[in-house]
Amino acid sequence: MENIDKPVDLKDYERIQWIAEAKFLKAYYKFWLLRMYGPIPIIKENIPISASTGEVRVFREPVDEVVEYIVSLLDESIPDLPMRVLDIQNDLGRPTKPMALALKAQVLTLAASPLFNGNTDYAGFVDSRDITLFPQEYKVEKWEKAVDALKEAIEVAHEADHELYDYSNSSFARNLNDSTIKALNVRAAVVERWNSEVIWGDSRGGTGMYQREAFFGVYRKHGTGMSYGPPLRIVEQFYSKNGVPIDEDLSWQGVDWYEQKIGDAAHNRFIREGYTTVNLHFNREYRFYGSLFFDGGLYYGAGKISTDKDFHLTPFRANMQPGG
């Protein structure tokens, strides 16, 4: 950014867009540092390579100031970013207005969360200047800012022709029941490249491998690595079929999550009928069945592309690969 005026062959529109992209990236990396460390130094200008040790030992700034700086960078970049990528072949992955607004919404939502909004666990977290680095006063206005930012991000995403992914538009959906389609709305939205829900995708060639590993595509007949296995605490965090955490759902009160239960006709779209599994796998939201595979769970894909009979889905057992 300090040298952007030096190239003589750089067109004005390129210069403006590059500056906006640099501000976006600076905000993005500051956001990652904020997520990892909370209060961080704010470096608005490059420190000269000839700087002394004392000059590079800068103070961390309070969380609220870091958030304000990140948001200011994004606000400066948004007017000069394109609404959408026009040169698909060369520019996929470059910043757009929807990307910047989505990041702004994420930053403000994190700032409004209990971690950074009146977190008394960090009451004594002060620097040598006796400045408190984590805000101790809860402010509802932070949530109001987050809500406004989220609303704007959604509206602009719609203007750029982004929309929630719908698997019912797939050529394979004609053989599926509604429950399976709703689960696949979650799974395929993550792994189908450059679908309508993707606001910022990774354009590097190597990402296709990870998408294929996580997808278990319709005609893919072998499994995936154990590195994709979530811990049980994540499995437990998915909601019930009533749309609330299972420990808050009245119908789950008194239920032993890990007591064995046999799959029945009422759940045969997601659990193999007659197969013994555990209560934790029953009566969960569609995101659960679209995101996770478990012992006794039924799976659409691996060569099975219809859900009209028991044969349609492949049992996924602890000692069996999909398709086994």
Side-chain angles (χ1 to χ4, degrees):
M1 291 172 64
E2 291 176 358
N3 296 293
I4 191 68
D5 293 322
K6 292 183 178 179
V8 296
D9 60 344
L10 193 61
K11 295 180 175 64
D12 285 343
Y13 77 88
E14 289 180 312
R15 196 186 315 273
I16 291 171
Q17 184 173 339
W18 287 13
I19 292 172
E21 290 174 343
K23 290 178 179 178
F24 169 85
L25 290 172
K26 190 172 183 179
Y28 175 69
Y29 294 126
K30 289 285 187 185
F31 171 59
W32 270 92
L33 291 171
L34 172 69
R35 290 187 2 158
M36 291 189 290
Y37 303 111
I40 58 172
I42 295 176
I43 311 298
K44 294 184 178 181
E45 304 292 341
N46 286 331
I47 298 175
I49 195 170
S50 59
S52 66
T53 303
E55 289 176 296
V56 299
R57 297 183 65 181
V58 295
F59 282 98
R60 301 165 72 176
E61 300 298 337
V63 164
D64 282 350
E65 292 185 25
V66 176
V67 170
E68 183 179 347
Y69 179 58
I70 295 172
V71 171
S72 70
L73 285 172
L74 292 170
D75 284 340
E76 291 173 15
S77 73
I78 289 168
D80 296 322
L81 291 173
M83 182 65 78
R84 61 180 67 83
V85 170
L86 298 179
D87 187 350
I88 301 296
Q89 201 68 16
N90 296 310
D91 290 344
L92 275 179
R94 293 181 67 171
T96 62
K97 279 184 172 66
M99 287 163 52
L101 286 165
L103 178 58
K104 178 181 175 180
Q106 193 172 5
V107 172
L108 289 172
T109 301
L110 179 64
S113 73
L115 180 61
F116 292 143
N117 193 4
N119 186 350
T120 56
D121 289 344
Y122 285 89
F125 202 87
V126 299
D127 63 15
S128 59
R129 301 168 296 178
D130 202 33
I131 293 177
T132 300
L133 298 178
F134 281 81
Q136 293 303 295
E137 180 185 358
Y138 172 80
K139 294 182 178 180
V140 70
E141 310 92 78
K142 291 184 177 182
W143 281 115
E144 293 170 353
K145 286 183 179 180
V147 168
D148 290 341
L150 287 161
K151 184 173 184 293
E152 184 180 12
I154 293 170
E155 290 173 346
V156 172
H158 287 164
E159 289 178 31
D161 297 326
H162 293 289
E163 60 184 3
L164 293 178
Y165 180 84
D166 185 357
Y167 194 81
S168 64
N169 296 323
S170 167
S171 59
F172 297 106
R174 64 181 180 274
N175 297 319
L176 304 181
N177 61 69
D178 185 60
S179 296
T180 303
I181 289 175
K182 287 180 178 178
L184 287 169
N185 283 343
V186 177
R187 188 202 311 170
V190 175
V191 297
E192 184 173 313
R193 291 175 63 81
W194 305 110
N195 65 73
S196 62
E197 195 168 320
V198 176
I199 291 177
W200 188 8
D202 194 331
S203 57
R204 294 174 296 178
T207 58
M209 175 186 70
Y210 298 111
Q211 289 175 312
R212 288 192 297 274
E213 285 294 312
F215 187 25
F216 296 105
V218 173
Y219 294 111
R220 181 177 172 82
K221 294 184 180 295
H222 51 88
T224 186
M226 67 178 69
S227 58
Y228 294 101
L232 277 175
R233 66 179 180 83
I234 298 298
V235 176
E236 294 170 351
Q237 285 174 357
F238 280 86
Y239 288 3
S240 74
K241 68 177 183 180
N242 298 317
V244 295
I246 55 178
D247 57 358
E248 298 178 16
D249 192 321
L250 295 179
S251 67
W252 278 75
Q253 301 303 308
V255 175
D256 182 348
W257 296 356
Y258 292 97
E259 182 181 8
Q260 291 187 341
K261 185 174 180 177
I262 299 174
D264 54 22
H267 300 89
N268 66 5
R269 296 305 185 190
F270 299 121
I271 300 172
R272 188 184 185 194
E273 195 167 350
Y275 190 94
T276 300
T277 181
V278 293
N279 282 324
L280 191 67
H281 300 152
F282 289 80
N283 299 313
R284 306 299 294 275
E285 59 172 321
Y286 290 115
R287 290 187 304 175
F288 179 88
Y289 299 110
S291 303
L292 303 172
F293 303 113
F294 52 86
D295 188 26
L298 295 176
Y299 172 70
Y300 166 78
K304 308 301 182 184
I305 58 174
S306 175
T307 55
D308 53 355
K309 295 184 180 298
D310 283 349
F311 178 70
H312 53 278
L313 299 176
T314 305
F316 183 75
R317 305 181 186 179
N319 62 348
M320 183 181 294
Q321 296 283 6

